[in-house]
Amino acid sequence: MIRRFLAGLLALAALAATPAHAKDELVVAMTQMPGTWNPVISSMLAKSLIANMTARPLTAYDADWKLVCLACTELPTIENGKARVIDLPDGKKGMEVDVELRDLRWGDGVPVTTKDVAFTLEVGKHPLSGVASSEGFKRVLKLDVKDDHRFTMTIDRVTFDYNSSALLLLPAHIEKPIFEANPAEYRNKTAYDTQSTNPGLAFGPYRIVEIVPGSRITLEQNPTWTGEKPYFKRIVVKIIENTAALEANLLSGGVDYVLGELGLSLDQAIAFEKRHGVKYNVIYKPALIWEHIDVNLDNKLLADKRVRQAMLLAIDRKAISEKLFDGKQPIAHGGISDLDPMFSPAARQYGYDPAAAKKLLDEAGFSTIRNNVRQNAAGERLSIELGTTAGNRVRELVAQVIQSQLRQVGIEARIKAEPPRLFFEVMNRRNYNGLGMYAWVQRPGGVPRSTLHSKEIPTAENGWSGQNYPGYANPQMDKALDDAERELDVDKRRALFAEIQKLAADDLPSLPLFFRVDPFVIPKALKGVTPTGTLNSSTLWIEQWRWEGP
């Protein structure tokens, strides 16, 4: 009798020690399916949200915008002696950076080592590999491997962000034979796409165990993960491209949580909070994400910057923000947010001025109007295609408003909404006809080289590497970008950033619309989700997510 009583007490104590209603499975949702799973090929937020659960970059910016080590043991700095300015053989200055990897293991048990670092650099440097941006890889002149965990990189220049590396390593023991067989075909043959559930592709807290294209991705705990053990045994990521359907699934219990970085639109979240806020913690996180319209500068109708300036003057961004976003999304005057320490207020800022827009269009040669559309002396109509991602109701609505406002000054915008995967493939190959509306995310103080430098224009010759989709080339901009990266003095670097912003505002290779405020609608039972507002998403700390409640 006493034994049974003691056993009962022990059972009750065990129950008390377990979090109430802890869940083994978390079902989340987002609006886009990644186009490829290889972490160094193409840039897409949807892919990084998943990759951040299955791997870790060397460094990342946390929620306080502080640079921290994730796959390394200690942040190298000039102060701690792990980074040094050196003289290069050509007489220029460069840097040496010492890095030590954490004790990490791929999901098949193979240790993560400097062999993976060397292979990842090899892929990044190859002209035909098709990485998102090869510039950062090419800057590494030499990799001096000390042992399996320690290496020194020699960089070809002095840069202020020498210790910031978003590099996600590739598993050499799986990917190297595929790459060496045919580097030009690597992007199509990578095991990340042909063997996506291979456990050896992951070294983070989770690994992918199932992919149903266009439907869901299932992840389970990675048994070889050496960090803090995650709370959920399984995470199911549903792909629901229609944002109205996202909300319906959240309310019906079809999903537990919608990822704040790629989920509900801001207007939805505002209305949702008014109706259901008692059950959720709603966080409006100002983000370094700018919604903008890339302009294909190869289109001769758009080559004259006066046409681009007129287009921006014709768009009433303030009214759009107030009517669609409750005024919560601030107007963007360029790609650098006023929350960024490098923001400059000196660059030109465009207000809503349709009269000035019409005057500029006249000066650019589009002075004749027939059937409400301007045309030039050659009879070419100012009719432009405006592409964007399908499924995002608010983005499509913004496109319609912009179409209407451009029509008021005689510009015809033909909307073409495509599935995100197809849209970004078209943008990357620069096959879009005129305009492409989407969003980029920045890191704090980051030099926007990949989107503005002429060397970052994707071409067949460079394997479609780079994110300068407009094809923008300005020697003054190239110099300002190069100098800003090399400048260690903060005040001098801020002056160079001012020049970058001034040139971008004048040339307008991209038309800035808004800086996004990401709405995080978090169930009160879900703990540990911390919005960052930068390119390092909340899923980089997925192991801290837990369920405490009904």
Side-chain angles (χ1 to χ4, degrees), residues 72-200:
C72 52
T73 59
E74 183 182 7
L75 198 66
T77 66
I78 292 174
E79 290 73 20
N80 65 19
K82 294 186 180 296
R84 300 165 295 281
V85 176
I86 61 169
D87 293 318
L88 298 174
D90 61 3
K92 296 180 180 178
K93 297 287 185 181
M95 298 194 78
E96 287 182 345
V97 182
D98 301 331
V99 180
E100 182 175 357
L101 296 173
R102 280 178 50 192
D103 179 23
L104 297 164
R105 293 181 179 275
W106 298 101
D108 55 8
V110 174
V112 175
T113 71
T114 47
K115 292 178 183 177
D116 301 311
V117 177
F119 170 64
T120 306
L121 287 174
E122 181 185 358
V123 172
K125 284 172 174 282
H126 199 285
L128 299 177
S129 62
V131 297
S133 179
S134 61
E135 177 69 19
F137 295 101
K138 292 176 180 176
R139 292 182 182 183
V140 181
L141 296 176
K142 186 174 70 169
L143 182 72
D144 183 12
V145 173
K146 309 294 184 184
D147 54 37
D148 280 351
H149 288 91
R150 296 180 304 124
F151 62 92
T152 297
M153 287 190 296
T154 301
I155 313 298
D156 70 354
R157 67 198 68 189
V158 176
T159 64
F160 75 96
D161 56 351
Y162 59 86
N163 56 3
S164 173
S165 175
L167 183 66
L168 283 172
L169 298 178
L170 302 172
H173 66 292
I174 295 175
E175 293 286 283
K176 191 175 178 68
I178 302 170
F179 176 75
E180 290 181 340
N182 190 344
E185 277 296 304
Y186 172 64
R187 66 182 299 154
N188 302 315
K189 301 287 182 66
T190 171
Y192 283 93
D193 293 337
T194 62
Q195 309 169 37
S196 301
T197 58
N198 186 329

Side-chain angles (χ1 to χ4, degrees), residues 200-211:
L201 300 174
F203 65 88
Y206 289 93
R207 65 183 183 91
I208 296 174
V209 296
E210 178 195 39
I211 294 177

Side-chain angles (χ1 to χ4, degrees), residues 250 256-258 279-281 521-527 547:
L250 182 61
D256 299 312
Y257 169 58
V258 175
K279 297 180 181 178
Y280 297 86
N281 293 318
V521 181
I522 306 172
K524 293 199 170 178
L526 181 59
K527 310 295 183 183
W547 196 270

Side-chain angles (χ1 to χ4, degrees), residues 340-517:
D340 193 293
M342 291 295 125
F343 172 75
S344 169
R348 179 176 178 181
Q349 299 186 359
Y350 295 77
Y352 175 55
D353 193 341
K358 292 176 182 178
K359 185 174 183 294
L360 280 173
L361 291 171
D362 286 342
E363 293 172 0
F366 291 95
S367 55
T368 303
I369 299 178
R370 290 183 181 173
N371 297 322
N372 299 316
V373 178
R374 289 177 177 266
Q375 63 181 47
N376 59 20
E380 296 171 314
R381 301 170 74 247
L382 194 48
S383 178
I384 307 296
E385 186 174 276
L386 171 57
T388 191
T389 56
N392 186 317
R393 181 177 60 84
V394 174
R395 181 174 279 165
E396 291 179 355
L397 184 56
V398 169
Q400 292 168 16
V401 174
I402 290 173
Q403 179 188 49
S404 175
Q405 293 178 343
L406 291 177
R407 186 183 299 123
Q408 300 305 310
V409 298
I411 301 173
E412 181 181 65
R414 309 183 310 275
I415 296 175
K416 183 179 182 181
E418 298 178 295
R421 178 173 180 172
L422 178 59
F423 172 78
F424 285 108
E425 181 178 332
V426 168
M427 294 297 294
N428 179 244
R429 296 298 178 103
R430 302 193 63 242
N431 286 331
Y432 66 113
N433 178 269
L435 307 172
M437 183 170 68
Y438 64 107
W440 275 133
V441 59
Q442 285 280 101
R443 58 186 175 85
V447 176
R449 180 187 182 89
S450 67
T451 57
L452 291 174
H453 202 287
S454 62
K455 289 184 178 179
E456 296 289 342
I457 300 173
T459 64
E461 290 72 27
N462 67 17
W464 306 106
S465 174
Q467 297 164 328
N468 183 347
Y469 299 160
Y472 176 57
N474 181 336
Q476 288 179 275
M477 176 65 81
D478 288 352
K479 185 178 187 306
L481 292 165
D482 290 338
D483 291 347
E485 285 186 313
R486 291 177 166 88
E487 184 54 66
L488 298 180
D489 183 274
V490 174
D491 291 331
K492 291 179 181 178
R493 188 163 69 251
R494 188 172 286 111
L496 291 165
F497 263 82
E499 176 69 6
I500 291 167
Q501 291 165 79
K502 176 180 176 294
L503 290 169
D506 189 48
D507 291 340
L508 288 182
S510 300
L511 309 181
L513 297 176
F514 318 101
F515 272 99
R516 286 228 303 248
V517 172

